[in-house]
Amino acid sequence: MAKNEKDIVRFQNVGLRYDRGPEILSNLTFRLEKGSFHFLTGSSGAGKSSLLKFLYLGHEPSRGTIHLFGRDITTILRSEIPFFRQRIGVVFQDFNLINHLSALDNVALPLKVAGFDPRRARIHAAELLSWVGLEDHILSLPLSLSGGQKQRVAIARAVIAQPDLLLADEPTGNVDDQLAVKLLYLFEELNKMGTTVVIATHNRYVSSEFDHPILHLENGRLIAPGANKKEKVNHDA
């Protein structure tokens, strides 16, 4: 990674198709510097979720190359995948909470997996749940929570270990605009501590409230950022 040591993500002519069907993503070429913050936008079906799946090692490209943390993802051994994923926080659209664990233990889980003292992990998890307005639900099981409450638990779980890379797929889709902005401030604080952040959203209000560059997908292709945003996205020729 000597030439691009600042890049945490690098795509070169990446395409994705299933079997012999048409390409879902085509000719994606871009790089994200360590510590950057980007919104990933596009209409439903544009390919946002598929692009995020590349970044948490859920897909390999049909063509082209993807480097993550300086490694070509096609060379990562199956046994190495858990280590890489420990460096990545993910907020999934369907939350992926563990139903038999309380909100507190769902949020504390990444710290426990990383070897933190369980008591300290639970204390930190309780603090985060309070910050997102769930102090009265820390012992609630996911099945008893609303969609917006589950969303906030998922966000707290994704950020608790201060990952190197945070990926969020529509993280504000189940909350009102006021709470959405508060959650985005949480992502910004994490970003200020060095985490690279990529947030997929179709909420124009949210993306317009924050001055971060935009990666915009249309029909599986990456379109240059809008002129109203700082030109921080690095597109390779």
Side-chain angles (χ1 to χ4, degrees), residues 26 42 44 51 63 85 102 118 133 149 156 161 181 192 194 209:
S26 300
S44 178
L51 193 157
R63 63 182 176 90
R85 285 183 173 158
S102 67
Q149 290 168 336
V181 169
K192 289 175 184 176
E209 283 293 297

Side-chain angles (χ1 to χ4, degrees), residues 23 74 77 92 117 135 146 175-176 183-184 226 229 232:
E23 282 198 328
T74 63
L77 300 176
F92 297 94
D117 174 71
E135 60 273 8
S146 69
V175 299
D176 61 35
L183 293 174
L184 263 294
K229 295 291 180 181
K232 295 179 182 176

Side-chain angles (χ1 to χ4, degrees), residues 24-28 30 39-52 200 214-224:
I24 297 170
L25 296 171
S26 300
N27 299 320
L28 300 185
F30 67 93
F39 288 111
L40 175 62
T41 64
S43 61
S44 178
K48 300 190 299 296
S49 294
S50 294
L51 193 157
L52 291 182
I214 290 175
L215 292 164
H216 185 69
L217 283 170
E218 287 185 13
N219 299 318
R221 293 178 178 271
L222 189 64
I223 308 301

Side-chain angles (χ1 to χ4, degrees), residues 102-109 111-112 116-132 134-135 138-139 156 160:
S102 67
L104 182 69
D105 286 323
N106 264 283
V107 175
L109 188 60
L111 291 184
K112 292 179 180 179
F116 280 70
D117 174 71
R119 179 176 173 275
R120 292 182 62 84
R122 286 168 64 89
I123 290 172
H124 191 23
E127 291 171 348
L128 262 180
L129 285 167
S130 178
W131 198 93
V132 298
L134 293 177
E135 60 273 8
I138 61 173
L139 298 181
I160 192 169

Side-chain angles (χ1 to χ4, degrees), residues 28-170:
L28 300 185
T29 297
F30 67 93
R31 55 191 175 90
L32 303 179
E33 291 187 357
K34 182 178 179 180
S36 59
F37 189 126
H38 297 82
F39 288 111
L40 175 62
T41 64
S43 61
S44 178
K48 300 190 299 296
S49 294
S50 294
L51 193 157
L52 291 182
K53 284 181 180 178
F54 281 140
L55 297 176
Y56 63 80
L57 303 174
H59 282 324
E60 287 188 7
S62 303
R63 63 182 176 90
T65 58
I66 298 173
H67 284 81
L68 178 64
F69 306 126
R71 288 278 302 277
D72 182 336
I73 68 168
T74 63
T75 69
I76 295 173
L77 300 176
R78 201 171 190 80
S79 60
E80 293 180 288
I81 290 177
F83 168 75
F84 273 80
R85 285 183 173 158
Q86 282 185 25
R87 301 180 65 183
I88 305 169
V90 185
V91 182
F92 297 94
Q93 271 192 303
D94 57 359
F95 316 128
N96 278 16
L97 300 177
I98 300 174
N99 287 330
H100 69 271
L101 295 182
S102 67
L104 182 69
D105 286 323
N106 264 283
V107 175
L109 188 60
L111 291 184
K112 292 179 180 179
V113 169
F116 280 70
D117 174 71
R119 179 176 173 275
R120 292 182 62 84
R122 286 168 64 89
I123 290 172
H124 191 23
E127 291 171 348
L128 262 180
L129 285 167
S130 178
W131 198 93
V132 298
L134 293 177
E135 60 273 8
D136 295 331
H137 297 279
I138 61 173
L139 298 181
S140 298
L141 296 175
L143 293 177
S144 70
L145 300 175
S146 69
Q149 290 168 336
K150 291 177 184 177
Q151 187 78 293
R152 283 179 274 167
V153 174
I155 289 170
R157 181 184 61 184
V159 306
I160 192 169
Q162 297 182 19
D164 294 317
L165 176 63
L166 176 71
L167 310 171
D169 196 357
E170 301 289 355

